[in-house]
């Protein structure tokens, strides 16, 4: 997402300059034919063109409203992941090993200094190791999720559109540059890592491993039955949030609506120069050349609005206007590591040229 106050005019022009070139060419051809060759029959009445423009405005506006709804829903879902992740860290620390809670508190916590002696050091080490496993595996789930959500789809535009590729040089998408295996390695045991990498949907199986460990801890008497139910319910909620992300990722804005919006826009911008030409030729003389800038501006506005809708459709693909799942996941990771009492924390993800990913 853009983390500045607004896109600068220079950024917008750079992003849409190819549309400007197209409109200048489309406007210049009929204008010069009329001005130099006297082909006045090329000028068309403005009223029918304006009617097409009205229909196009409705279609483009509808599309942009729906794509914004997709973006906002994606942000709400990932906000839910933030809340559920913090809840997971809290409940793991407070509910896992409840019969040895005081011994299970990491020494780095604010109230560990008041705990009883060091007689329970072995229990403390064991409980803290279990907490670390469960929380690190959750961080691995976040990592696998964001890598899956950044995978390319045929209908996405960040990598397929030349203008988006050019603008994308202003920032780097971590999931495109890095390796999932390298990021999971410090978070998982060798056995878990090998198991996860053998699966297609890694995030799904990481939650499955969480559930399996909770079951074993309950069998060992380290989680009370009611607490076990609460933790399992939270895992189900995480599955639900993951599924909602996958629905947006894997089901595009309906292609029939996207296609008709693009067709209407292209039809309208192709006709705009002929209608504007008709108005300016009434003034006579070389004022007819004013058709070129005025028609270009009108067409550019519609093309830019259509482009904005197209680039808002897929809020997880890694574009400049997407939900910043990399930064949000890092924020969650820092929070969870601090809950464990870890001191070596990863740095937060900052914006690159005002783009936060």
């Amino acid at each position: 997402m853009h983390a500045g106050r607004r896109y600068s005019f220079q950024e917008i022009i750079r992003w849409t300059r190819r549309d400007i070139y197209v409109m200048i060419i489309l406007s210049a051809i009929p204008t010069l034919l009329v001005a130099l060759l006297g082909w006045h029959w090329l000028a068309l009445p403005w009223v029918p063109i304006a009617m097409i423009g009205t229909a196009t405005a409705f279609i483009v506006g509808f599309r942009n409203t729906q794509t914004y709804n997709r973006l906002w829903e994606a942000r709400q879902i990932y906000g839910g992941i933030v809340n559920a992740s913090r809840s997971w860290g809290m409940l793991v620390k407070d509910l896992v090993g409840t019969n040895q809670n005081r011994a299970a508190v990491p020494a780095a916590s604010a109230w560990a200094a008041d705990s009883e002696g060091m007689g329970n050091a072995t229990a403390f080490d064991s409980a803290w190791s279990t907490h670390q496993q469960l929380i690190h595996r959750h961080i691995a789930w976040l990592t696998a999720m964001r890598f899956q959500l950044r995978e390319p789809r045929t209908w996405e535009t960040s990598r397929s559109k030349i203008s988006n590729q050019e603008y994308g040089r202003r920032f780097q998408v971590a999931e495109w540059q890095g390796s999932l295996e390298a990021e999971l390695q410090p978070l998982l045991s060798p056995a878990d890592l090998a198991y996860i990498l053998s699966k297609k949907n890694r995030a799904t199986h990481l939650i499955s491993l969480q559930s399996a460990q909770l079951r074993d801890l309950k069998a060992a008497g380290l989680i009370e039955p009611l607490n076990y139910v609460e933790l399992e319910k939270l895992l189900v909620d995480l599955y639900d949030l993951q599924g909602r992300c996958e629905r947006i990722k894997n089901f595009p804005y309906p292609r029939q609506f996207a296609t008709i919006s693009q067709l209407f826009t292209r039809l309208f911008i192709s006709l705009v120069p002929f209608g504007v030409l008709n108005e300016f030729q009434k003034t006579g003389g070389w004022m007819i050349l004013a058709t070129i800038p005025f028609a270009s501006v009108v067409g550019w506005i519609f093309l830019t609005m259509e482009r904005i809708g197209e680039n808002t459709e897929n809020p997880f693909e890694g574009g400049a206007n997407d939900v910043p799942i990399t930064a949000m996941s890092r924020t969650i990771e820092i929070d969870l590591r601090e809950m464990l009492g870890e001191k070596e924390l990863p740095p937060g993800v900052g914006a690159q040229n005002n783009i936060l990913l």
Side-chain angles (χ1 to χ4, degrees), residues 97-143:
T98 50
N99 60 345
Q100 50 187 358
N101 270 342
R102 289 180 63 80
V105 177
S109 65
W111 50 281
D114 297 330
S115 60
E116 302 172 355
M118 296 302 294
N120 292 324
T122 302
F124 158 76
D125 290 340
S126 175
W128 190 83
S129 176
T130 300
H131 296 167
Q132 185 186 49
Q133 271 188 319
L134 290 167
I135 290 178
H136 279 198
R137 192 181 290 121
H138 183 77
I139 297 172
W141 174 75
L142 291 168
T143 303

Side-chain angles (χ1 to χ4, degrees), residues 105-352:
V105 177
S109 65
W111 50 281
D114 297 330
S115 60
E116 302 172 355
M118 296 302 294
N120 292 324
T122 302
F124 158 76
D125 290 340
S126 175
W128 190 83
S129 176
T130 300
H131 296 167
Q132 185 186 49
Q133 271 188 319
L134 290 167
I135 290 178
H136 279 198
R137 192 181 290 121
H138 183 77
I139 297 172
W141 174 75
L142 291 168
T143 303
M145 266 278 289
R146 60 183 174 85
F147 269 83
Q148 289 174 200
L149 293 176
R150 296 296 197 206
E151 292 176 356
R153 298 290 186 268
T154 55
W155 54 81
E156 293 176 344
T157 61
S158 287
R159 301 193 194 188
S160 61
K161 297 286 186 178
I162 296 177
S163 57
N164 290 343
Q165 292 175 9
E166 291 179 345
Y167 193 85
R169 293 170 190 159
R170 299 168 56 86
F171 55 86
Q172 291 186 331
V173 181
E175 292 77 20
W176 297 352
Q177 310 295 327
S179 162
L180 175 61
E181 181 177 359
E183 295 211 24
L184 291 182
Q185 197 166 10
L187 300 169
L188 300 174
S189 67
D192 283 356
L193 180 63
Y195 172 76
I196 291 303
L197 292 178
S198 68
K199 304 300 181 182
K200 174 65 176 174
N201 192 324
R202 279 76 181 263
T204 294
H205 292 280
L206 279 163
I207 293 184
S208 179
L209 288 177
Q210 296 281 62
S211 179
Q213 185 172 7
L214 291 181
R215 179 198 60 209
D216 294 342
L217 290 168
K218 174 178 174 292
L222 296 176
I223 304 179
E224 295 180 2
L226 290 178
N227 294 341
Y228 170 76
V229 171
E230 288 298 316
L231 288 165
E232 285 287 341
K233 181 179 182 300
L234 188 52
L235 290 181
V236 172
D237 291 340
L238 290 171
Y239 260 146
D240 177 65
L241 291 166
Q242 176 185 334
R244 291 164 67 186
C245 286
E246 291 171 341
R247 169 174 55 81
I248 294 177
K249 175 68 177 180
N250 297 322
F251 188 83
Y253 178 73
R255 296 295 84 193
Q256 66 272 27
F257 290 107
T259 301
I260 201 67
S261 175
Q262 187 180 70
L263 287 176
F264 277 26
T265 302
R266 291 182 178 181
L267 173 63
F268 176 65
I269 66 164
S270 299
L271 295 175
V272 161
F274 298 94
V276 176
L277 180 63
N278 184 56
E279 298 301 316
F280 277 104
Q281 81 170 352
K282 296 176 183 177
T283 62
W286 291 101
M287 276 298 294
I288 196 173
L289 295 179
T291 298
I292 298 175
F294 278 90
S296 297
V297 168
V298 173
W300 173 75
I301 290 172
F302 275 80
L303 286 172
T304 300
M305 291 301 298
E306 203 273 334
R307 181 184 288 266
I308 288 172
E310 181 181 55
N311 285 273
T312 310
E313 288 178 7
N314 308 298
F316 295 126
E317 65 176 301
N321 302 298
D322 289 357
V323 177
I325 61 175
T326 305
M328 295 175 73
S329 297
R330 178 59 57 83
T331 299
I332 298 170
E333 179 179 356
I334 292 171
D335 289 345
L336 294 179
R337 288 184 182 276
E338 285 183 330
M339 286 183 184
L340 282 174
E342 297 182 5
K343 295 298 184 181
E344 295 184 4
L345 303 176
V349 176
Q352 309 168 52

Side-chain angles (χ1 to χ4, degrees), residues 58-70:
F58 277 115
I59 293 294
V60 172
F62 173 79
R63 180 190 188 181
N64 286 11
T65 299
Q66 299 307 312
T67 56
Y68 174 80
N69 289 339
R70 283 171 61 88

